[in-house]
Amino acid sequence: MKKIFTSIVLVLCISVSVLAQTTTINVQGQPRKVNAAVAARIQKAAKAVASTGIDFSKIERWAGEGDCKAALAIKWADGQNDGKTLVWGYRWKSSEKKTGEDLVRAVAKADPAFYVLALSGTSFGTTFGGFGYDIDGNRNIIVTTPKNNEVYPRNGIVYVSSYVFDNCSATDITNDAWNSGWNKGFWSYNVADKAEDALGWSSTGASGRVLTDGCVDAWIFLSGGEPNEYDGNIKYLPATVDYTKGVYIVNEDWYGHRNSTVNFLSKDGTFVYDHVENLGVTACYGTFFGNRFYAISKQDGGYGRISVCDANSTRVIKQIKDIDGKDGRSFCGVDEHKAYVSTAGGIYTLDLDELTVGAAVKNADGGDAKLGECGNMVRLGDYVYATEYGKSLRIIDCNTDRIVATISSANVYSITMSKDGQLWVSTDKGISRVNTETNKLETISLPKGINVPANSNGAWCPDGLCASMQNNVIYWTSVTWNILKVFKYDIDNNEFAKVVDLTTNDADKWKMYSASNLRVDPVTDNLYVSLFKDWGSQDYAVRIYDNKGTQLNEYELTQKNYWFPGMFVFPDVEDPIAGKIEAVNVEENKEVKVDLAKVCSDADNFQAAIVKTVKSVADNNVATATVKNGKLVVTGVKAGNTTVTLNFCSNGISTTATVNVTVTQATGITGTQTSADIREIARFTIDGKRINQPQRGINIVKYSDGTVKKVIVK
């Protein structure tokens, strides 16, 4: 099937004279005028195509799940990939309506080697202006946009705000397949309802293309250079690991022999060993935040106590060797720009834009907090709740980086947030709820047979206190050196249960390694537990239970090493979605509060953990706005209309929502009207200038009873 889709000499060869006859074609659904001869060749080429030549039975690299299937075929120009068309498969459920845009997004999300440049929100839907493929497998996947800004893909996609595709490039362009463009070249969109059908030039963009079972979407880059033809020279990519489905395992690794590493366990039980290497010495903590992966190590080991990876590829992009000379412990994202890192001696700020360690958090008066070893931390509302390990719970104001309260009524070890937004700590006595209004701990009595949560039993580790995202339940491991049991507390029903017990009916005599190796899958609600045979053994396994304690799978590591696993980390692959907020009506000099609790959601984060702030107010002369403890507070200034833009930050990824605000006039008066017992003692203009007589417009009046009112003088 040679030359079954003839190259389009593009709008791009538009060095035609103004007198030449032109016609209109749709490029990804968008009308463009081109030379009539070019348009004729497009139509002729589409009609001449006999078949896509794609065999679904040969596709190995798939994205999605379901009973329907589609193929994505991409042909780069300039002979890249040896001139071959690369092919991916996509599955979805027949009950779902999927588009060509969904197809590209799903493949980009599932395949870490494939990345896309896009513009969303146009009147024609999403425009795809660039496709890249990591040929050499070095995971150096970055797009350079205008002004030389390097942007890492989020779930495989880099978004731009305008049609700047001609001025974008892959940073690793010498080693990767890459084409981008809009005016100097573009990606043509071609479709077929069946693999055996003819490819045809699509009159719509990918957003308007509804997929059918067995269809093919082909993208071919066209430019004014060498012809690029869809010729049936197809390459079926081998299966790859979908890092959005599975779990990362941060390993302390073999102290004195190897630096710390990260293994990955895929959904089908396949281990990717040493997926990330050289994280420093004794890494215990890892997390995804703001399209990055952060690993915290106790010592630098010549590499870094803080290792920062691109979340899309998990390639190390920077390592920070020093945290004021302290050994690292854990990480807590504050917002898009700042995080806290706990250490063996205090808590420090981390600038997420510059990736530099800042000052230590201080006492309320600005003095040295003199903190000891600190561990896990959680942000809720305006504060971060941080454990001073084995001592107290410290409450830090995120705006000032100062400790504003301390709860020291129990020896606190760890902290977690439950689905309902409550905070729970483990203590030497059991578990307690943090009353965030009184800043006191409310101890929950443990019934007979339910053990106290484990702490680290020696060197610090995050421990097993964790929570379900699907149910209002918290879990923990029991207190022994070789931890053998897992317990849970159903908060809504006030019920306790033992869900895992390795002391019975376990012929292989597996033990749980450390207190930290228990976590809950945010999607499936399954429990993941790390196991080992003995301290001198290199036999390790990951066992998976459902939320009732029934064993589902066990995957033993075949590569022998003293891994000493530190923590399970589930990928953050969903973004926050903000809903509509009803318009706010408020009177002058009064305020209205709007509960933002259910405005924004994130499929892999607690709603209460989403940070809500005011991004901007269109006209501060009409109204002012702030967010306090999860509520929007709007204060009317003068009659009129304005808008408030809110920012919702979830796991370091942000979205916005706009609120319309109408401010109505306060009750108008023409002079001073007071009761016999209350008199006016001062009057000011809106800008604070004192006046002796009522002045037309807004007057600020102070009365003898201490009240201050805003009045309108007509």
Side-chain angles (χ1 to χ4, degrees):
M1 292 194 316
K2 199 170 181 180
K3 296 186 180 180
I4 59 176
F5 190 82
T6 312
S7 157
I8 304 162
V9 189
L10 191 50
V11 67
L12 331 165
C13 288
I14 319 182
S15 32
V16 291
S17 76
V18 294
L19 297 177
Q21 184 180 1
T22 62
T23 188
T24 300
I25 63 171
N26 287 335
V27 176
Q28 296 190 44
Q30 304 190 38
R32 295 173 73 162
K33 288 188 177 298
V34 298
N35 184 291
V38 172
R41 293 183 65 183
I42 291 172
Q43 298 300 322
K44 181 179 179 181
K47 293 179 180 178
V49 173
S51 168
T52 68
I54 291 175
D55 184 347
F56 275 93
S57 68
K58 295 181 179 179
I59 297 177
E60 296 182 45
R61 192 167 295 188
W62 290 90
E65 297 176 348
D67 50 341
C68 296
K69 60 184 182 295
L72 175 67
I74 299 183
K75 177 79 183 295
W76 282 265
D78 312 316
Q80 298 179 74
N81 291 313
D82 297 324
K84 295 181 181 296
T85 298
L86 302 188
V87 175
W88 291 259
Y90 172 54
R91 294 187 179 99
W92 74 99
K93 296 177 182 178
S94 56
S95 58
E96 300 172 330
K97 178 181 177 181
K98 295 296 183 179
T99 66
E101 178 183 356
D102 293 323
L103 167 59
V104 172
R105 287 180 182 277
V107 171
K109 188 175 183 178
D111 186 351
F114 178 57
Y115 53 113
V116 180
L117 183 65
L119 171 64
S120 64
T122 77
S123 56
F124 301 94
T126 295
T127 302
F128 293 116
F131 291 118
Y133 185 71
D134 182 23
I135 296 176
D136 60 0
N138 66 359
R139 296 191 278 175
N140 185 14
I141 298 173
I142 312 171
V143 174
T144 302
T145 60
K147 300 182 180 179
N148 292 319
N149 292 323
E150 290 190 341
V151 182
Y152 291 86
R154 169 69 177 166
N155 288 328
I157 301 181
V158 170
Y159 292 98
V160 290
S161 58
S162 60
Y163 291 91
V164 294
F165 304 132
D166 296 297
N167 300 316
C168 297
S169 177
T171 302
D172 195 20
I173 195 168
T174 57
N175 298 308
D176 289 359
W178 175 266
N179 285 126
S180 64
W182 187 247
N183 295 309
K184 299 176 182 177
F186 68 83
W187 282 95
S188 69
Y189 185 34
N190 313 272
V191 298
D193 289 336
K194 296 291 182 183
E196 59 270 21
D197 290 348
L199 275 174
W201 179 275
S202 177
S203 61
T204 70
S207 303
R209 150 81 159 161
V210 178
L211 301 181
T212 57
D213 188 18
C215 68
V216 175
D217 281 20
W219 294 83
I220 302 106
F221 191 75
L222 304 175
S223 70
E226 292 295 321
N228 189 28
E229 303 172 349
Y230 184 93
D231 55 4
N233 187 9
I234 294 168
K235 180 179 180 179
Y236 297 99
L237 294 166
T240 190
V241 176
D242 182 351
Y243 290 96
T244 68
K245 296 178 180 179
V247 65
Y248 295 86
I249 308 169
V250 179
N251 303 303
E252 296 178 16
D253 226 293
W254 194 3
Y255 181 84
H257 294 77
R258 296 202 334 157
N259 279 358
S260 296
T261 57
V262 175
N263 291 337
F264 182 79
L265 176 61
S266 68
K267 183 181 178 181
D268 65 1
T270 301
F271 281 100
V272 180
Y273 299 103
D274 296 332
H275 181 60
V276 187
E277 298 181 276
N278 291 318
L279 295 178
V281 175
T282 319
C284 291
Y285 195 94
T287 188
F288 284 90
F289 191 82
N291 205 33
R292 290 172 178 156
F293 175 76
Y294 294 88
I296 311 299
S297 302
K298 292 182 178 178
Q299 297 92 34
D300 69 274
Y303 288 88
R305 284 180 167 90
I306 304 174
S307 296
V308 187
C309 303
D310 164 33
N312 191 71
S313 65
T314 336
R315 181 180 65 90
V316 175
I317 58 178
K318 183 172 182 178
Q319 292 184 296
I320 301 171
K321 296 191 68 174
D322 192 51
I323 315 172
D324 195 25
K326 310 292 196 327
D327 288 358
R329 291 296 183 262
S330 74
F331 173 104
C332 179
V334 176
D335 56 32
E336 306 97 315
H337 308 290
K338 182 174 71 176
Y340 292 143
V341 177
S342 64
T343 72
I347 297 170
Y348 290 79
T349 60
L350 177 64
D351 186 322
L352 300 184
D353 298 319
E354 301 297 327
L355 293 178
T356 55
V357 174
V361 300
K362 298 183 180 300
N363 282 330
D365 61 3
D368 186 353
K370 297 181 180 179
L371 297 175
E373 182 177 46
C374 296
N376 292 338
M377 303 173 283
V378 174
R379 173 162 189 176
L380 176 63
D382 301 324
Y383 305 100
V384 163
Y385 296 76
T387 58
E388 187 176 11
Y389 189 73
K391 295 181 179 179
S392 57
L393 188 65
R394 302 287 189 156
I395 304 174
I396 306 168
D397 186 322
C398 297
N399 293 313
T400 63
D401 302 326
R402 294 189 178 186
I403 297 170
V404 294
T406 298
I407 302 176
S408 55
S409 57
N411 294 331
V412 175
Y413 289 98
S414 189
I415 185 168
T416 194
M417 178 186 290
S418 54
K419 184 181 179 182
D420 59 3
Q422 296 187 84
L423 299 182
W424 300 85
V425 295
S426 61
T427 71
D428 54 353
K429 303 298 183 183
I431 60 170
S432 296
R433 187 179 78 88
V434 182
N435 188 321
T436 56
E437 295 183 0
T438 64
N439 287 338
K440 293 183 179 180
L441 298 184
E442 298 173 352
T443 301
I444 308 298
S445 298
L446 301 181
K448 185 178 180 180
I450 303 298
N451 294 0
V452 172
N455 54 46
S456 66
N457 291 320
W460 182 89
C461 61
D463 84 34
L465 184 68
C466 56
S468 164
M469 279 199 61
Q470 303 299 322
N471 298 288
N472 203 26
V473 173
I474 59 174
Y475 296 88
W476 65 91
T477 51
S478 66
V479 181
T480 58
W481 179 255
N482 294 330
I483 300 155
L484 303 175
K485 299 176 184 178
V486 175
F487 298 93
K488 74 175 181 179
Y489 175 49
D490 185 326
I491 300 165
D492 292 339
N493 297 308
N494 191 30
E495 293 178 350
F496 293 85
K498 180 175 66 177
V499 290
V500 176
D501 187 350
L502 298 185
T503 61
T504 60
N505 301 321
D506 201 296
D508 293 328
K509 303 301 180 183
W510 286 107
K511 303 176 181 67
M512 271 183 226
Y513 174 71
S514 180
S516 64
N517 283 273
L518 168 69
R519 285 297 182 266
V520 189
D521 188 320
V523 177
T524 66
D525 209 36
N526 293 331
L527 308 181
Y528 281 67
V529 177
S530 279
L531 306 174
F532 77 119
K533 286 288 182 67
D534 211 337
W535 295 105
S537 170
Q538 292 183 336
D539 294 321
Y540 293 87
V542 173
R543 187 176 288 178
I544 304 173
Y545 298 87
D546 67 16
N547 58 17
K548 293 181 176 60
T550 302
Q551 182 177 328
L552 302 177
N553 287 297
E554 181 177 294
Y555 302 111
E556 190 167 353
L557 283 75
T558 56
Q559 181 172 313
K560 297 300 181 181
N561 183 59
Y562 289 111
W563 294 108
F564 299 117
M567 184 176 175
F568 290 110
V569 185
F570 294 94
D572 173 41
V573 296
E574 302 297 336
D575 292 342
I577 300 173
K580 182 180 179 181
I581 307 175
E582 294 295 327
V584 172
N585 294 292
V586 60
E587 286 188 15
E588 293 173 326
N589 205 31
K590 292 188 177 181
E591 67 179 33
V592 169
K593 294 182 179 180
V594 179
D595 191 352
L596 302 176
K598 297 182 180 180
V599 171
C600 185
S601 62
D602 184 341
D604 47 18
N605 195 18
F606 293 118
Q607 202 287 326
I610 299 175
V611 178
K612 309 158 186 75
T613 55
V614 172
K615 185 176 183 179
S616 63
V617 179
D619 190 346
N620 282 288
N621 294 317
V622 173
T624 60
T626 187
V627 174
K628 185 68 175 175
N629 294 325
K631 292 184 178 180
L632 171 65
V633 182
V634 180
T635 303
V637 177
K638 72 173 183 179
N641 297 294
T642 187
T643 57
V644 176
T645 300
L646 292 166
N647 188 76
F648 298 90
C649 176
S650 180
N651 287 330
I653 304 298
S654 290
T655 189
T656 60
T658 300
V659 188
N660 294 318
V661 176
T662 299
V663 179
T664 56
Q665 289 184 344
T667 303
I669 61 173
T670 57
T672 303
Q673 300 176 357
T674 64
S675 70
D677 298 325
I678 303 174
R679 68 185 188 282
E680 175 183 331
I681 61 173
R683 182 181 290 261
F684 305 86
T685 61
I686 189 68
D687 58 1
K689 181 180 179 182
R690 185 160 184 166
I691 54 178
N692 296 322
Q693 299 291 333
Q695 182 173 305
R696 179 170 295 182
I698 300 175
N699 290 196
I700 307 298
V701 182
K702 184 176 182 180
Y703 296 97
S704 58
D705 66 344
T707 61
V708 177
K709 296 182 179 180
K710 184 184 298 180
V711 298
I712 305 296
V713 179
K714 299 179 180 178

Coordinates of all heavy atoms in Angstrom, one line a residue, residues 252 284 298 329 373 389-390 413 454-463 479-481 483 514-515 535:
E252 N 14.3 2.3 51.6 CA 15.5 2.8 52.3 C 16.7 2.2 51.6 O 17.8 2.8 51.6 CB 15.4 2.3 53.8 CG 14.3 2.9 54.6 CD 14.2 2.4 56.0 OE1 15.2 1.8 56.4 OE2 13.2 2.6 56.7
C284 N 12.8 7.5 53.3 CA 11.6 6.9 53.9 C 10.3 7.4 53.4 O 9.3 6.7 53.4 CB 11.6 7.1 55.4 SG 12.9 6.3 56.3
K298 N 17.1 10.7 54.7 CA 17.7 11.1 56.0 C 19.1 11.7 55.8 O 19.4 12.7 56.4 CB 17.8 9.9 57.0 CG 16.4 9.4 57.4 CD 16.5 8.3 58.4 CE 15.0 7.9 58.8 NZ 15.0 6.8 59.8
R329 N 13.0 14.1 56.9 CA 11.9 13.2 57.4 C 10.7 13.1 56.4 O 10.6 12.2 55.7 CB 11.4 13.7 58.8 CG 12.5 13.5 59.9 CD 12.8 12.0 60.2 NE 13.7 11.8 61.3 CZ 15.0 11.7 61.1 NH1 15.6 11.7 59.9 NH2 15.8 11.4 62.2
E373 N 12.9 16.3 66.8 CA 12.6 15.5 65.6 C 11.1 15.7 65.3 O 10.2 15.5 66.1 CB 12.9 14.0 65.9 CG 12.6 13.2 64.7 CD 13.0 11.7 64.9 OE1 12.7 11.2 66.0 OE2 13.7 11.1 64.1
Y389 N 7.8 14.5 66.9 CA 7.7 13.0 67.1 C 7.8 12.6 68.5 O 8.8 12.9 69.2 CB 8.8 12.3 66.2 CG 8.6 10.9 66.2 CD1 7.6 10.3 65.4 CD2 9.4 10.0 66.9 CE1 7.4 8.9 65.4 CE2 9.3 8.7 66.8 CZ 8.3 8.1 66.1 OH 8.1 6.8 66.0
G390 N 6.8 11.9 69.0 CA 6.8 11.4 70.4 C 6.5 12.5 71.4 O 6.6 12.2 72.6
Y413 N 2.6 10.7 67.7 CA 3.6 10.1 66.8 C 3.3 10.4 65.3 O 4.2 10.7 64.5 CB 3.6 8.6 67.0 CG 4.3 8.2 68.3 CD1 3.6 7.9 69.4 CD2 5.7 8.2 68.4 CE1 4.2 7.6 70.6 CE2 6.3 7.8 69.6 CZ 5.5 7.6 70.7 OH 6.2 7.3 71.9
A454 N 1.2 1.3 66.0 CA 2.7 1.2 66.0 C 3.3 2.6 65.7 O 2.9 3.4 65.0 CB 3.2 0.2 65.0
N455 N 4.5 2.8 66.4 CA 5.3 3.9 66.0 C 6.5 3.3 65.3 O 6.5 2.1 64.9 CB 5.7 4.8 67.2 CG 6.3 4.0 68.3 OD1 7.2 3.2 68.1 ND2 5.9 4.3 69.5
S456 N 7.6 4.0 65.1 CA 8.7 3.5 64.3 C 9.5 2.4 65.0 O 10.3 1.7 64.3 CB 9.6 4.6 63.9 OG 10.3 5.1 65.1
N457 N 9.4 2.2 66.3 CA 10.2 1.2 67.0 C 11.7 1.4 66.8 O 12.4 0.4 66.7 CB 9.8 -0.2 66.6 CG 8.4 -0.6 67.0 OD1 8.0 -0.2 68.1 ND2 7.6 -1.2 66.2
G458 N 12.1 2.6 66.8 CA 13.6 2.9 66.6 C 13.8 4.1 65.7 O 13.3 5.2 66.0
A459 N 14.5 3.9 64.6 CA 14.7 5.0 63.7 C 13.4 5.4 63.1 O 12.5 4.6 62.8 CB 15.7 4.6 62.6
W460 N 13.2 6.8 62.8 CA 11.9 7.3 62.4 C 11.5 6.7 61.0 O 12.3 6.5 60.1 CB 12.0 8.8 62.3 CG 10.7 9.4 61.9 CD1 9.7 9.8 62.7 CD2 10.3 9.7 60.5 NE1 8.6 10.3 61.9 CE2 9.0 10.2 60.6 CE3 10.8 9.5 59.3 CZ2 8.2 10.6 59.5 CZ3 10.1 9.8 58.1 CH2 8.8 10.4 58.3
C461 N 10.2 6.5 60.9 CA 9.6 6.2 59.6 C 8.2 6.7 59.7 O 7.6 7.0 60.8 CB 9.6 4.7 59.3 SG 8.8 3.7 60.4
P462 N 7.5 6.8 58.5 CA 6.2 7.5 58.5 C 5.1 6.8 59.3 O 4.1 7.4 59.7 CB 5.8 7.5 57.1 CG 7.1 7.4 56.3 CD 7.9 6.6 57.2
D463 N 5.2 5.5 59.6 CA 4.3 4.6 60.3 C 3.0 4.3 59.5 O 2.8 4.9 58.5 CB 4.0 5.0 61.8 CG 3.0 6.0 62.0 OD1 2.0 6.1 61.3 OD2 3.1 6.7 63.0
V479 N 1.4 -2.6 67.6 CA 2.7 -2.3 68.2 C 3.4 -3.5 68.6 O 3.1 -4.1 69.7 CB 2.5 -1.3 69.4 CG1 3.9 -1.0 70.0 CG2 1.8 -0.1 69.0
T480 N 4.3 -4.0 67.8 CA 5.3 -5.0 68.1 C 6.5 -4.7 67.2 O 6.4 -4.0 66.3 CB 4.8 -6.4 67.9 OG1 4.4 -6.6 66.5 CG2 3.6 -6.8 68.8
W481 N 7.6 -5.4 67.5 CA 8.8 -5.1 66.6 C 8.5 -5.7 65.3 O 8.7 -5.0 64.2 CB 10.0 -5.8 67.3 CG 11.2 -5.6 66.4 CD1 11.9 -6.5 65.6 CD2 12.0 -4.4 66.2 NE1 12.9 -6.0 64.9 CE2 13.0 -4.7 65.3 CE3 11.8 -3.1 66.7 CZ2 13.9 -3.7 64.9 CZ3 12.8 -2.1 66.2 CH2 13.8 -2.4 65.4
I483 N 5.8 -6.3 63.2 CA 4.4 -5.9 63.2 C 3.5 -6.9 62.4 O 3.8 -7.2 61.3 CB 4.2 -4.5 62.7 CG1 5.0 -3.5 63.5 CG2 2.8 -4.1 62.6 CD1 5.4 -2.3 62.8
S514 N 8.6 -2.9 59.0 CA 8.5 -1.6 59.6 C 7.0 -1.2 59.8 O 6.1 -1.8 59.4 CB 9.2 -0.6 58.7 OG 9.1 0.7 59.2
A515 N 6.9 0.0 60.5 CA 5.5 0.4 60.8 C 4.9 1.2 59.7 O 3.7 1.6 59.7 CB 5.6 1.3 62.0
W535 N 15.2 -10.7 59.1 CA 16.1 -9.6 59.0 C 17.3 -9.9 58.2 O 17.9 -9.1 57.6 CB 16.5 -9.1 60.4 CG 15.4 -8.6 61.2 CD1 14.7 -9.2 62.2 CD2 14.7 -7.3 61.0 NE1 13.6 -8.4 62.6 CE2 13.6 -7.2 61.9 CE3 14.9 -6.3 60.1 CZ2 12.8 -6.1 61.9 CZ3 14.1 -5.2 60.1 CH2 13.0 -5.1 61.0

